Amino acid sequence: NGDDGWAVLFLQNQNKNLLAHTSDGGSTWTTERFVWNPVSVDFVDASHGWATGDDPPPLRKDGVWSTANGGRT
């Protein structure tokens, strides 16, 4: 729907990325921190999406994560 959205935010002062989510068309956003560093996110509908990223140093392993429940898990 037009109200749900996802974005990757870069926090330059912390050299860290966050995932941000809105469910009200961008009026408010919530952010989530992860052990891994998100790089991109894409949803095909409100439930199904994928994120790419990497582990923090020294590991730096790339990964792809998926959800089928709107990002709850």
Side-chain angles (χ1 to χ4, degrees):
N1 68 41
D3 290 332
D4 284 307
W6 291 86
V8 175
L9 307 174
F10 177 63
L11 302 178
Q12 187 170 5
N13 61 337
Q14 297 178 26
N15 198 29
K16 179 74 178 164
N17 290 359
L18 300 176
L19 280 179
H21 176 253
T22 184
S23 58
D24 59 11
S27 295
T28 60
W29 291 83
T30 57
T31 58
E32 298 290 335
R33 283 186 166 250
F34 297 92
V35 174
W36 54 277
N37 191 35
V39 174
S40 66
V41 62
D42 187 32
F43 273 74
V44 294
D45 59 35
S47 297
H48 300 89
W50 294 263
T52 64
D54 55 38
D55 290 320
L59 298 176
R60 287 291 185 210
K61 294 180 182 176
D62 295 334
V64 177
W65 294 264
S66 65
T67 183
N69 61 12
R72 288 186 297 280
T73 60

mmCIF file of all heavy atoms in Angstrom, residues 22-41:
data_model
loop_
_atom_site.group_PDB
_atom_site.id
_atom_site.type_symbol
_atom_site.label_atom_id
_atom_site.label_comp_id
_atom_site.label_asym_id
_atom_site.label_seq_id
_atom_site.Cartn_x
_atom_site.Cartn_y
_atom_site.Cartn_z
ATOM 1 N N THR A 22 8.216 3.168 7.800
ATOM 2 C CA THR A 22 7.035 3.999 8.031
ATOM 3 C C THR A 22 5.799 3.210 7.664
ATOM 4 O O THR A 22 5.826 2.409 6.721
ATOM 5 C CB THR A 22 7.076 5.321 7.243
ATOM 6 O OG1 THR A 22 5.925 6.104 7.594
ATOM 7 C CG2 THR A 22 7.121 5.104 5.744
ATOM 8 N N SER A 23 4.737 3.390 8.409
ATOM 9 C CA SER A 23 3.459 2.758 8.071
ATOM 10 C C SER A 23 2.368 3.807 7.903
ATOM 11 O O SER A 23 1.200 3.477 7.798
ATOM 12 C CB SER A 23 3.068 1.732 9.135
ATOM 13 O OG SER A 23 2.989 2.351 10.402
ATOM 14 N N ASP A 24 2.783 5.085 7.883
ATOM 15 C CA ASP A 24 1.807 6.173 7.740
ATOM 16 C C ASP A 24 2.200 7.153 6.630
ATOM 17 O O ASP A 24 1.990 8.342 6.739
ATOM 18 C CB ASP A 24 1.611 6.903 9.058
ATOM 19 C CG ASP A 24 2.884 7.505 9.613
ATOM 20 O OD1 ASP A 24 3.913 7.555 8.897
ATOM 21 O OD2 ASP A 24 2.867 7.939 10.774
ATOM 22 N N GLY A 25 2.789 6.621 5.583
ATOM 23 C CA GLY A 25 3.133 7.445 4.434
ATOM 24 C C GLY A 25 4.295 8.387 4.644
ATOM 25 O O GLY A 25 4.471 9.345 3.905
ATOM 26 N N GLY A 26 5.121 8.133 5.656
ATOM 27 C CA GLY A 26 6.311 8.948 5.895
ATOM 28 C C GLY A 26 6.145 10.025 6.944
ATOM 29 O O GLY A 26 7.085 10.760 7.226
ATOM 30 N N SER A 27 4.982 10.119 7.572
ATOM 31 C CA SER A 27 4.796 11.109 8.637
ATOM 32 C C SER A 27 5.672 10.798 9.843
ATOM 33 O O SER A 27 6.232 11.693 10.459
ATOM 34 C CB SER A 27 3.327 11.175 9.067
ATOM 35 O OG SER A 27 2.527 11.659 8.012
ATOM 36 N N THR A 28 5.791 9.515 10.174
ATOM 37 C CA THR A 28 6.678 9.094 11.260
ATOM 38 C C THR A 28 7.484 7.894 10.783
ATOM 39 O O THR A 28 7.051 7.137 9.914
ATOM 40 C CB THR A 28 5.899 8.701 12.536
ATOM 41 O OG1 THR A 28 5.017 7.622 12.224
ATOM 42 C CG2 THR A 28 5.117 9.889 13.083
ATOM 43 N N TRP A 29 8.675 7.736 11.347
ATOM 44 C CA TRP A 29 9.575 6.643 11.012
ATOM 45 C C TRP A 29 10.074 5.993 12.286
ATOM 46 O O TRP A 29 10.308 6.676 13.283
ATOM 47 C CB TRP A 29 10.773 7.154 10.212
ATOM 48 C CG TRP A 29 10.422 7.619 8.839
ATOM 49 C CD1 TRP A 29 9.933 8.840 8.493
ATOM 50 C CD2 TRP A 29 10.507 6.866 7.635
ATOM 51 N NE1 TRP A 29 9.717 8.903 7.141
ATOM 52 C CE2 TRP A 29 10.074 7.705 6.587
ATOM 53 C CE3 TRP A 29 10.930 5.576 7.327
ATOM 54 C CZ2 TRP A 29 10.032 7.278 5.259
ATOM 55 C CZ3 TRP A 29 10.896 5.157 6.004
ATOM 56 C CH2 TRP A 29 10.454 6.002 5.002
ATOM 57 N N THR A 30 10.247 4.684 12.245
ATOM 58 C CA THR A 30 10.923 3.966 13.321
ATOM 59 C C THR A 30 12.195 3.370 12.744
ATOM 60 O O THR A 30 12.243 3.030 11.558
ATOM 61 C CB THR A 30 10.049 2.842 13.910
ATOM 62 O OG1 THR A 30 9.663 1.949 12.874
ATOM 63 C CG2 THR A 30 8.811 3.411 14.581
ATOM 64 N N THR A 31 13.224 3.262 13.554
ATOM 65 C CA THR A 31 14.487 2.696 13.086
ATOM 66 C C THR A 31 14.816 1.447 13.876
ATOM 67 O O THR A 31 14.422 1.303 15.035
ATOM 68 C CB THR A 31 15.648 3.704 13.213
ATOM 69 O OG1 THR A 31 15.767 4.115 14.565
ATOM 70 C CG2 THR A 31 15.417 4.907 12.321
ATOM 71 N N GLU A 32 15.527 0.573 13.221
ATOM 72 C CA GLU A 32 15.968 -0.680 13.823
ATOM 73 C C GLU A 32 17.468 -0.799 13.664
ATOM 74 O O GLU A 32 18.007 -0.548 12.596
ATOM 75 C CB GLU A 32 15.291 -1.880 13.148
ATOM 76 C CG GLU A 32 13.795 -1.899 13.276
ATOM 77 C CD GLU A 32 13.324 -2.191 14.682
ATOM 78 O OE1 GLU A 32 14.072 -2.831 15.456
ATOM 79 O OE2 GLU A 32 12.206 -1.776 15.015
ATOM 80 N N ARG A 33 18.139 -1.156 14.753
ATOM 81 C CA ARG A 33 19.570 -1.451 14.695
ATOM 82 C C ARG A 33 19.744 -2.959 14.638
ATOM 83 O O ARG A 33 18.998 -3.704 15.237
ATOM 84 C CB ARG A 33 20.303 -0.920 15.919
ATOM 85 C CG ARG A 33 20.524 0.549 15.863
ATOM 86 C CD ARG A 33 21.381 0.991 17.048
ATOM 87 N NE ARG A 33 21.824 2.337 16.766
ATOM 88 C CZ ARG A 33 23.075 2.643 16.475
ATOM 89 N NH1 ARG A 33 23.999 1.726 16.462
ATOM 90 N NH2 ARG A 33 23.407 3.883 16.203
ATOM 91 N N PHE A 34 20.744 -3.378 13.906
ATOM 92 C CA PHE A 34 21.047 -4.791 13.761
ATOM 93 C C PHE A 34 22.533 -4.997 14.015
ATOM 94 O O PHE A 34 23.318 -4.060 13.933
ATOM 95 C CB PHE A 34 20.713 -5.280 12.346
ATOM 96 C CG PHE A 34 19.254 -5.179 12.014
ATOM 97 C CD1 PHE A 34 18.746 -4.046 11.397
ATOM 98 C CD2 PHE A 34 18.400 -6.209 12.320
ATOM 99 C CE1 PHE A 34 17.401 -3.945 11.093
ATOM 100 C CE2 PHE A 34 17.049 -6.124 12.023
ATOM 101 C CZ PHE A 34 16.550 -4.985 11.405
ATOM 102 N N VAL A 35 22.907 -6.243 14.293
ATOM 103 C CA VAL A 35 24.328 -6.570 14.424
ATOM 104 C C VAL A 35 24.999 -6.399 13.074
ATOM 105 O O VAL A 35 26.115 -5.926 12.976
ATOM 106 C CB VAL A 35 24.504 -8.008 14.962
ATOM 107 C CG1 VAL A 35 25.968 -8.402 14.960
ATOM 108 C CG2 VAL A 35 23.910 -8.122 16.343
ATOM 109 N N TRP A 36 24.284 -6.743 12.014
ATOM 110 C CA TRP A 36 24.811 -6.577 10.664
ATOM 111 C C TRP A 36 24.515 -5.174 10.168
ATOM 112 O O TRP A 36 23.682 -4.470 10.702
ATOM 113 C CB TRP A 36 24.259 -7.646 9.742
ATOM 114 C CG TRP A 36 22.759 -7.732 9.715
ATOM 115 C CD1 TRP A 36 21.971 -8.399 10.598
ATOM 116 C CD2 TRP A 36 21.883 -7.103 8.787
ATOM 117 N NE1 TRP A 36 20.651 -8.235 10.264
ATOM 118 C CE2 TRP A 36 20.570 -7.438 9.150
ATOM 119 C CE3 TRP A 36 22.070 -6.298 7.667
ATOM 120 C CZ2 TRP A 36 19.457 -7.001 8.452
ATOM 121 C CZ3 TRP A 36 20.959 -5.857 6.969
ATOM 122 C CH2 TRP A 36 19.677 -6.214 7.368
ATOM 123 N N ASN A 37 25.190 -4.780 9.124
ATOM 124 C CA ASN A 37 25.103 -3.433 8.567
ATOM 125 C C ASN A 37 24.238 -3.448 7.305
ATOM 126 O O ASN A 37 24.688 -3.895 6.259
ATOM 127 C CB ASN A 37 26.517 -2.944 8.251
ATOM 128 C CG ASN A 37 26.553 -1.485 7.917
ATOM 129 O OD1 ASN A 37 25.794 -0.703 8.471
ATOM 130 N ND2 ASN A 37 27.431 -1.108 7.022
ATOM 131 N N PRO A 38 22.969 -2.985 7.364
ATOM 132 C CA PRO A 38 22.130 -3.015 6.167
ATOM 133 C C PRO A 38 22.645 -2.075 5.088
ATOM 134 O O PRO A 38 23.135 -0.987 5.375
ATOM 135 C CB PRO A 38 20.758 -2.576 6.669
ATOM 136 C CG PRO A 38 20.991 -1.895 7.955
ATOM 137 C CD PRO A 38 22.276 -2.413 8.510
ATOM 138 N N VAL A 39 22.534 -2.515 3.840
ATOM 139 C CA VAL A 39 22.985 -1.712 2.701
ATOM 140 C C VAL A 39 21.812 -1.357 1.786
ATOM 141 O O VAL A 39 21.718 -0.241 1.304
ATOM 142 C CB VAL A 39 24.083 -2.460 1.914
ATOM 143 C CG1 VAL A 39 24.466 -1.705 0.656
ATOM 144 C CG2 VAL A 39 25.299 -2.684 2.803
ATOM 145 N N SER A 40 20.914 -2.307 1.559
ATOM 146 C CA SER A 40 19.751 -2.029 0.712
ATOM 147 C C SER A 40 18.561 -2.821 1.219
ATOM 148 O O SER A 40 18.710 -3.833 1.909
ATOM 149 C CB SER A 40 20.041 -2.370 -0.748
ATOM 150 O OG SER A 40 20.237 -3.757 -0.892
ATOM 151 N N VAL A 41 17.364 -2.350 0.865
ATOM 152 C CA VAL A 41 16.136 -3.034 1.258
ATOM 153 C C VAL A 41 15.119 -2.870 0.133
ATOM 154 O O VAL A 41 15.068 -1.834 -0.534
ATOM 155 C CB VAL A 41 15.597 -2.484 2.602
ATOM 156 C CG1 VAL A 41 15.231 -1.019 2.494
ATOM 157 C CG2 VAL A 41 14.411 -3.294 3.100
#
